[in-house]
Amino acid sequence: MSFQNAYLNSVMDDLRARYAHEPEYLQAVEEFLEPLSPVIDSDPRYEQQNIVGRMAEPERLICFPVSWVDDQGKTRLNHGFRVQHSSALGPYKGGLRFHPSVNQSVMKFLAFEQTFKDCLTTLPMGGGKGGSDFDPKGKSDGEVMRFCQAFMNELYRHIGENTDVPAGDIGVGCREIGYLFGRYKKLKNQWTGAITGKSLASGGSLTRTEATGFGLCYFGAAYLADHGQSFQGKKVIISGSGNVATYANQKCTEMGATVVAMSDSNGYVVDENGIDFRIIQQIKEQKRERISTYPNYVPTAKYVEGCAGIWSVPCDIAMPCATQNEIDTDSAKLLVSNGCKAVFEGSNMPCTPEAIQAIKASGLLYSPSKASNAGGVAVSGLEMSQNSERLYWTFEAVDAKLKEIMENIYRQCADTAAKYGQEGDIQAGANIVSFLKVADAMLWQGVY
Ligand code: GLU
């Protein structure tokens, strides 16, 4: 892909040459720069101060080995990362992912995306991401605890409530956050809000667990309403069955939709009567089983092996909530030909660039993850506020604030797209508005 603006092309060419072995990172940057040409043309300072080149690279990249002892007494080695991408708008903020697919490219793409997502919330947060290629799946509680402690033995020196505030992501839920927070507190001898997604009794925020899924639906509802529609009576596919997917199911079901299919990395379940989020929660969070067991609890459901097949299920709305690049061109075309009208992204960068093109070219509503999945980090921001003032807010107060933030993100994206002649293009709006915010802060702070 090449851009209209020559400076953007030169930045992208440099990145391609330098990071040829980091495809996810290059994909995220390229997607972000695509609608920016008219914005760059409008102010010579962006090129003069190399704002885009400086914004694209992380401010700091931390890599470290993580050694831990398994239940057999064998010493195991994994690789840890923390990518501190941008502190232009606040302390680095973003989750930790524990998954075998984690590598430097994946970490850098996630940290890059996080910066722009976080700024859309309008809360004072920079962007970062971290994690490890450790797989919590199939590990005992003791092994997970020892791994988390070993990971924190290094990470603790790089984070803090005013420096960098990690949270959860794929493979890092309430259990892992507890072990990480416990070790952090021990090492620092300080009780601070340096990690979010904490359990309620330990300084967590009500609604944080539900926030990404709920936020996705609040965003989707605002987008649909702008087009005279709603979730009422819609058939929805939600890929994944983790935290985002589970609570997206709860909220859109409450809004009158029927979730006809959900998945995990092995396969998917279909039920025209609707997939029950409470059973998914029980299978995944309490029993830590595979989704293939769902029909044992709900006999009307059918399990199909192979997760990619979920996109062949006819639906009105697709909400990918599993992982990056889970919708390729073929899946996108299947969705379109089966009558799907909207794709709202819940996982980070779930659609390949070609899939996005196919979705938009067919006139579907399309929301990029940095806008529609910002609810999780938004409530993390609210958790930081509550920790700072040593107070807890009610579920209703946090939920209302989350809804307001998501509706505001939609409005900012839609209005900015219109202002720059790309009416209706929420992807362009999200990238332009978040670029402007980070760029303005960088211009104001000088060449640091
Ligand atoms: N991992 C989530 C995300 O991708 C949440 C990050 C956070 O709460 O800091 O936005």
Side-chain angles (χ1 to χ4, degrees):
M1 177 195 293
S2 72
F3 311 108
Q4 276 157 8
N5 182 280
Y7 165 58
L8 288 182
N9 279 321
S10 78
V11 170
M12 200 62 229
D13 286 345
D14 283 352
L15 293 174
R16 284 192 196 107
R18 188 176 290 272
Y19 303 115
H21 54 292
E22 296 185 354
E24 293 86 359
Y25 169 62
L26 294 177
Q27 181 185 335
V29 178
E30 195 162 285
E31 183 276 331
F32 181 70
L33 301 187
E34 216 233 295
L36 296 187
S37 290
V39 186
I40 303 299
D41 290 343
S42 72
D43 189 335
R45 291 178 305 167
Y46 296 139
E47 178 172 355
Q48 204 166 37
Q49 298 188 30
N50 195 10
I51 293 292
V52 180
R54 288 161 57 210
M55 190 189 282
E57 301 238 18
E59 291 174 7
R60 193 172 296 110
L61 182 55
I62 300 156
C63 307
F64 50 97
V66 187
S67 305
W68 57 282
V69 180
D70 70 16
D71 286 348
Q72 282 67 48
K74 198 170 158 222
T75 302
R76 308 271 287 259
L77 176 65
N78 284 98
H79 303 88
F81 298 90
R82 185 70 185 168
V83 182
Q84 298 181 329
H85 188 90
S86 171
S87 59
L89 296 174
Y92 306 108
K93 179 80 196 89
L96 298 171
R97 176 177 291 192
F98 291 167
H99 192 269
S101 65
V102 163
N103 58 34
Q104 193 162 297
S105 173
V106 169
M107 290 284 102
K108 281 174 67 181
F109 115 66
L110 288 164
F112 178 88
E113 285 288 292
Q114 196 79 41
T115 295
F116 305 103
K117 174 192 332 199
D118 291 4
C119 94
L120 286 174
T121 68
T122 71
L123 300 171
M125 298 183 287
K129 198 86 183 194
S132 172
D133 54 3
F134 171 79
D135 189 357
K137 227 181 280 160
K139 304 287 189 306
S140 70
D141 274 355
E143 289 178 322
V144 170
M145 181 176 81
R146 290 194 294 282
F147 174 80
C148 289
Q149 292 172 339
F151 184 83
M152 189 51 80
N153 283 346
E154 172 61 32
L155 187 69
Y156 86 97
R157 70 190 84 243
H158 305 291
I159 65 173
E161 60 179 339
N162 296 316
T163 314
D164 182 356
V165 185
D169 194 79
I170 295 173
V172 179
C174 193
R175 171 181 64 167
E176 289 77 12
I177 293 289
Y179 297 146
L180 290 162
F181 186 72
R183 176 54 59 100
Y184 176 79
K185 186 168 62 69
K186 175 92 178 165
L187 291 169
K188 285 273 204 191
N189 194 28
Q190 274 177 4
W191 205 115
T192 66
I195 303 180
T196 62
K198 298 185 289 299
S199 89
L200 279 182
S202 296
S205 174
L206 284 158
T207 327
R208 177 62 191 88
T209 312
E210 297 86 350
T212 317
F214 278 22
L216 174 63
C217 297
Y218 293 144
F219 186 98
Y223 195 174
L224 288 166
D226 214 14
H227 290 75
Q229 297 174 54
S230 74
F231 274 107
Q232 185 63 45
K234 299 287 192 303
K235 282 188 183 184
V236 178
I237 297 179
I238 299 179
S239 64
S241 44
N243 176 266
V244 182
T246 303
Y247 298 101
N249 177 330
Q250 179 184 352
K251 186 49 74 180
C252 78
T253 306
E254 276 171 25
M255 289 176 169
T258 304
V259 177
V260 292
M262 288 181 79
S263 61
D264 65 15
S265 55
N266 293 108
Y268 65 97
V269 283
V270 196
D271 191 343
E272 288 296 317
N273 305 314
I275 309 276
D276 188 336
F277 84 92
R278 281 165 295 237
I279 295 177
I280 294 286
Q281 197 181 27
Q282 201 184 324
I283 291 174
K284 287 287 164 178
E285 282 175 31
Q286 285 147 33
K287 305 196 175 208
R288 298 192 186 275
E289 289 175 355
R290 306 306 294 162
I291 209 167
S292 55
T293 63
Y294 186 87
N296 301 343
Y297 303 88
V298 185
T300 50
K302 201 173 97 198
Y303 175 72
V304 186
E305 195 70 25
C307 60
I310 192 171
W311 308 117
S312 66
V313 178
C315 69
D316 302 303
I317 298 171
M319 300 206 286
C321 295
T323 193
Q324 66 266 11
N325 291 328
E326 52 174 309
I327 299 188
D328 61 9
T329 319
D330 289 348
S331 304
K333 286 186 178 155
L334 257 180
L335 283 169
V336 172
S337 63
N338 282 334
C340 179
K341 300 283 184 303
V343 177
F344 302 142
E345 295 186 345
S347 48
N348 291 308
M349 204 170 77
C351 297
T352 64
E354 300 76 26
I356 298 174
Q357 221 169 11
I359 289 163
K360 286 169 77 173
S362 306
L364 277 71
L365 305 185
Y366 168 73
S367 72
S369 51
K370 68 170 72 65
S372 47
N373 83 3
V377 76
V379 173
S380 275
L382 303 179
E383 184 174 331
M384 289 162 72
S385 305
Q386 293 168 76
N387 291 163
S388 296
E389 61 177 17
R390 305 261 191 259
L391 286 174
Y392 287 104
W393 304 349
T394 62
F395 185 93
E396 288 70 27
V398 182
D399 191 36
K401 190 86 190 132
L402 168 65
K403 187 161 180 276
E404 185 192 313
I405 289 172
M406 297 313 295
E407 290 172 354
N408 177 48
I409 295 177
Y410 174 72
R411 242 343 346 126
Q412 290 179 71
C413 297
D415 291 351
T416 307
K419 188 172 160 200
Y420 283 86
Q422 305 187 51
E423 181 124 27
D425 188 338
I426 299 304
Q427 183 189 18
N431 291 355
I432 295 171
V433 73
S434 55
F435 168 79
L436 288 170
K437 284 184 196 205
V438 178
D440 282 357
M442 290 175 73
L443 288 171
W444 178 67
Q445 290 169 23
V447 183
Y448 57 85

